[in-house]
Amino acid sequence: MEEAAAPISMIDCPYCAEPINPKSKKCKHCGEILDPQMREIELLKSQRNSPQVFMNAGGGAAAAAASGIGSLRRFPHWFHILLTIISGALWLPVYILMYLFRNKRYYY
């Protein structure tokens, strides 16, 4: 009589908590890579394929203004007042918030 193979004990995926084979390199449920070396390779691939762009609150122009390139601009009050009038005062809270949280190094 043939002996049945011992059942494989399962572990829980650390990302989705579904049962998986302990030898798995990738979760079949959520798709997360479990093998640390394979995970590092995928991270390096994704960093190589996507450009590293860092933006501050004022965008690239604010960085240029802070470094002395170009000059400071006035806060565009006329534009926000026009939007407030056109939208029937619906733009007013946005205008107030944008004025209060403006980049003071870029807009004065």
Side-chain angles (χ1 to χ4, degrees):
M1 200 161 156
E2 278 184 50
E3 288 186 27
I8 298 174
S9 63
M10 303 295 270
I11 61 168
D12 289 339
C13 171
Y15 299 99
C16 68
E18 291 289 331
I20 57 171
N21 185 331
K23 295 180 183 178
S24 297
K25 296 193 182 277
K26 190 173 184 180
C27 178
K28 66 179 180 179
H29 303 284
C30 66
E32 285 291 333
I33 299 171
L34 305 171
D35 182 45
Q37 186 177 14
M38 206 168 136
R39 194 171 184 81
E40 182 69 24
I41 291 168
E42 287 297 318
L43 177 66
L44 291 173
K45 281 183 187 176
S46 68
Q47 286 176 349
R48 182 178 48 167
N49 292 338
S50 65
Q52 296 293 324
V53 178
F54 299 100
M55 299 295 286
N56 59 9
S67 66
I69 302 170
S71 61
L72 292 177
R73 300 186 332 179
R74 291 177 111 14
F75 187 77
H77 296 285
W78 66 269
F79 181 69
H80 293 282
I81 291 170
L82 179 66
L83 286 174
T84 301
I85 292 169
I86 291 172
S87 68
L90 293 174
W91 188 261
L92 186 61
V94 175
Y95 168 61
I96 292 169
L97 289 173
M98 289 183 74
Y99 178 76
L100 292 175
F101 296 106
R102 72 192 185 280
N103 186 341
K104 293 176 182 74
R105 293 179 69 186
Y106 187 60
Y107 296 111
Y108 57 91

